[in-house]
Amino acid sequence: MIFAYIALLLYTLGIVLSFKRENSYILSAIGSVFATIAGIVGTFYPFELGRIGLLPHVYMSMGVTHTSGIFMTVAAIAWIAISIYSIDYGKFYSKDMGVWLNLSILGMMIILMAKDGLTFITGWEIMTASSYLLILKHKGSFKEAFEFLAFGELSTVGLIIAFASLFLKNGNFSFTQNSGTVLFLIASTFAFIVKMGIFPFHTWLIGAHAKAPSNVSALLSAPLTLMGVYGIFMALSIMPDLHLYNFEWWGLLAVAFGAMSAFWGALQAVATKQLKALPAYSTIENNGMILAAIGISLIAAGDPSLTILSEFAITTALLLVISHTFSKSLLFLSVGHAKEALDEDNIDDLRGAWSSVGRIPALGILLSGLSFSAFPPLIGFVGEWALLESFFQSYKFQSLAARLVTTFSGIFIALAIGMAAFSMIKLAGYTALGYDHGKKAKKMRSIFMRISESFLMVLVLGFGIFAPFVVRYFGYSQFTSGLFGVPSPFLMISSIPIFGVVSPTFFAIVASVLFLFPLAFYLARRHGVRRVNSWNGGLPLEKNEYFSAPAYSAILEIVLKKIYITREKHLNGEAHIEVVDIVNVFYDALKKSVLKVESVLSSTLMNGNINAYVAYIFAIFVVIFLIAG
Amino acid sequence: MKWWPVRGITRHLTEKSSYELDSSVKPMNNIFKRSLHIYMIDVGNSNLLNFELKALQSTQYNTHRFGIYFSDSPRHSDLLIVLGKPTEKMITPLMNTIKQMPEPFGILIVEEDEVFDLKLPNVVGRLKNPEPSEILGTLLKIMGRN
């Protein structure tokens, strides 16, 4: 309990002592360490932080439960990495960035500890507003920041409706067992999936993540969308009677939207050419997979004989949460490091980061890319294995609708996982492992950036190898076992009786032993290897003669012409292939029509003519007078 | 009928009747006894040497019967034939080409009147204004066949 107080105090101190840049970042890093401890303590021994009464029946209270403890641990570890990274990275931006970073983290902490609607919405607004100001720190990002704010407030509207319905039913805002209503579930789910960037509410995420400073991108992508996931967990935990077939429709919708979102995110990630838009689309994909796993768990929760599948799907969602939070923070931080050092915006222009920027950021991009490509034994592999296992078990469902939806969604999820690997090869292969451009990196102090990236790399690898212990930490020790000569608890099982098994620990051991032979061979023969450039008739390769990143994905863009709306554009004598995110077309049309209505209204109603204005006020007064009277 | 075609038939006008191989040309490596792949780079000659090299592949000389082939990439070749004296712009491509040659490899320098003084690695011989038969003889000696 004391740790949570210390964490809150340190974040506040970080806001106050922001006259020196390092202060606020160091304080938020230390505060996040305490938040991690508070999360771990709260997971095992849930505690209360007390309550403040505002009105009769209306009070604000905070505390940590088992679920929020898990989420706080995961989020706080990402906060540590982001804060440490910001000690170096924050120097490129003004001093108030530290204030907003601390405030944003404080808001998230309040959300995670909220025990009632008022506290929750307070934290939500603090987080949204300060994140908006953080995005604005990057020059020329006003449009994207405003889009972020618009969608953030859209989710706040959903939350207000949800908590109002909570108040109508119970007479207070507190999150207690069986207090939820159907309207609460619908409205809050809407609010949370907007925050998670689920298709078709994902457009704000791309612009905001691509334009924001890199530490802010990591904060937005991993912990901020995590708040949406936590919100769904929280909303479901206070719904009554999950064990009747009441909420199968919710599960079906979640699976369908999640699978669609995963597919769409992966599809657009393949085609994107912008450096930070690719991880942003990958965020959409991962959040879609998390939502689908929650949906599976809710469908299974309706059937008393499928409790184990329901629990496994929850474990899956939590594993995916960990995988996404750590790997995506690592990806954004490493990409941001390389981007800042080389001052480039496209994937193609960042080639040779391995030799020009450094080994650690390049390895960070590579490792997180491998994790998202489900490369064993990294944490991403464990999460995606569990997700596919959950989908394979959907044959156990009784209703036809559930079977059909999960089968077709499973196809989309599998496609998404495959295409995620395709897009991550594009990102890691061209930036970290690509041919060197020979471009010199900008000199800057990067020791804390390197520390933070190495810290996350160890976590991505370590949590993957020791995934069975992570599952035990979640409290689902029934899914770890020992079989086939693997000692307990190093084997993960996906159902009881056993359906599928995997042991990342032993995979790592076996693979590393098998890897020793090629390694020894390589080390023995290494000195005889001569490295030369590609043969180009004796001439050096020009920049446009390399096999570029757009060329890598062009094949898919041309084959799936109908989905991407691929067009060839000619610019300065060069031809480019351009793709469109079709959802953006809709939002652009909406934006245009709103602007048009606005301009018409401003020219007719509020045109600066004093007579018209007085008449307008008078008319409104009369209308209100009539209605009120 | 004019008389000179008869003279042309009876005498070898375009070819030296006999030549002496340069004693500095040494067999390159035992492994090329049966097959030698050649990459030719023209770094600046008056086109005369190109004709002589081209003649090697014609039916008259038919180098293929000895296992001598011309390849399209230095990465597939055992011997690099450098024709002429390098112009300023061709020095870098020449060096790049040498970098691409797989070990073991040799370089045969074929010059016109102008002699160049670049320190190239693994030079196995130098020819000056050679006839096709002289080049063929040199190649056979490099292969270690005579």
Side-chain angles (χ1 to χ4, degrees), chain A residues 528 530-540, chain B residues 39 73-75 93 96-97 99-103:
Chain A
R530 186 154 46 106
R531 291 185 191 283
V532 290
N533 289 333
S534 303
W535 172 241
N536 188 33
L539 301 171
Chain B
Y39 184 76
S73 161
R75 292 193 173 191
N96 280 338
T97 312
K99 271 188 204 159
Q100 302 282 342
M101 298 287 292
E103 298 276 354

Side-chain angles (χ1 to χ4, degrees), chain A residues 95 315 327 339 357 412 426 449 451 513 573:
Chain A
K95 279 177 189 171
T315 316
S327 312
K339 178 177 182 273
V357 182
F412 278 112
K426 177 173 168 177
M449 291 187 188
I451 289 174
V513 168

Side-chain angles (χ1 to χ4, degrees), chain B residues 3-18:
Chain B
W3 56 271
W4 55 83
V6 180
R7 184 180 154 82
I9 291 165
T10 51
R11 291 197 173 193
H12 290 276
L13 280 184
T14 59
E15 197 155 340
K16 291 176 193 165
S17 51
S18 66

Side-chain angles (χ1 to χ4, degrees), chain A residues 109-293:
Chain A
M109 183 109 177
I110 292 173
I111 290 174
L112 287 172
M113 294 199 299
K115 288 278 215 173
D116 66 298
L118 276 184
T119 321
F120 194 95
I121 217 161
T122 312
W124 195 264
E125 277 305 287
I126 292 175
M127 175 185 82
T128 308
S130 46
S131 304
Y132 164 70
L133 292 165
L134 277 175
I135 302 170
L136 270 187
K137 286 288 124 214
H138 198 272
K139 280 199 184 84
S141 65
F142 181 75
K143 187 170 152 279
E144 285 76 12
F146 194 77
E147 208 177 342
F148 166 82
L149 194 65
F151 276 93
E153 293 312 311
L154 188 67
S155 64
T156 308
V157 169
L159 280 185
I160 288 173
I161 295 170
F163 294 142
S165 84
L166 208 62
F167 190 79
L168 272 182
K169 188 191 171 197
N170 306 308
N172 59 38
F173 289 111
S174 73
F175 300 153
T176 44
Q177 201 79 39
N178 298 338
S179 61
T181 63
V182 175
L183 180 62
F184 167 76
L185 186 63
I186 295 172
S188 62
T189 309
F190 171 74
F192 296 135
I193 67 171
V194 169
K195 206 46 146 186
M196 281 165 74
I198 296 297
F199 179 89
F201 306 108
H202 63 272
T203 48
W204 65 269
L205 209 139
I206 313 306
H209 287 40
K211 274 287 175 70
S214 293
N215 54 349
V216 180
S217 299
L219 190 75
L220 292 181
S221 173
L224 188 128
T225 60
L226 186 68
M227 293 306 122
V229 182
Y230 169 68
I232 288 180
F233 268 79
M234 183 274 297
L236 289 178
S237 71
I238 64 172
M239 291 306 292
D241 300 333
L242 282 178
H243 284 285
L244 303 172
Y245 280 104
N246 275 346
F247 295 108
E248 200 190 58
W249 56 271
W250 191 94
L252 292 179
L253 280 178
V255 170
F257 269 96
M260 191 59 212
S261 182
F263 177 69
W264 195 256
L267 197 72
Q268 295 292 337
V270 168
T272 184
K273 285 142 193 99
Q274 239 189 325
L275 190 59
K276 276 161 72 185
L278 199 152
Y281 272 118
S282 163
T283 301
I284 295 163
E285 181 225 336
N286 275 272
N287 280 332
M289 295 201 291
I290 293 169
L291 188 66

Side-chain angles (χ1 to χ4, degrees), chain A residues 270-272 278 347 422-431 549 552-553:
Chain A
V270 168
T272 184
L278 199 152
I347 294 174
F422 191 93
S423 61
M424 283 302 156
I425 289 169
K426 177 173 168 177
L427 183 64
Y430 277 94
T431 57
Y552 172 78
S553 56

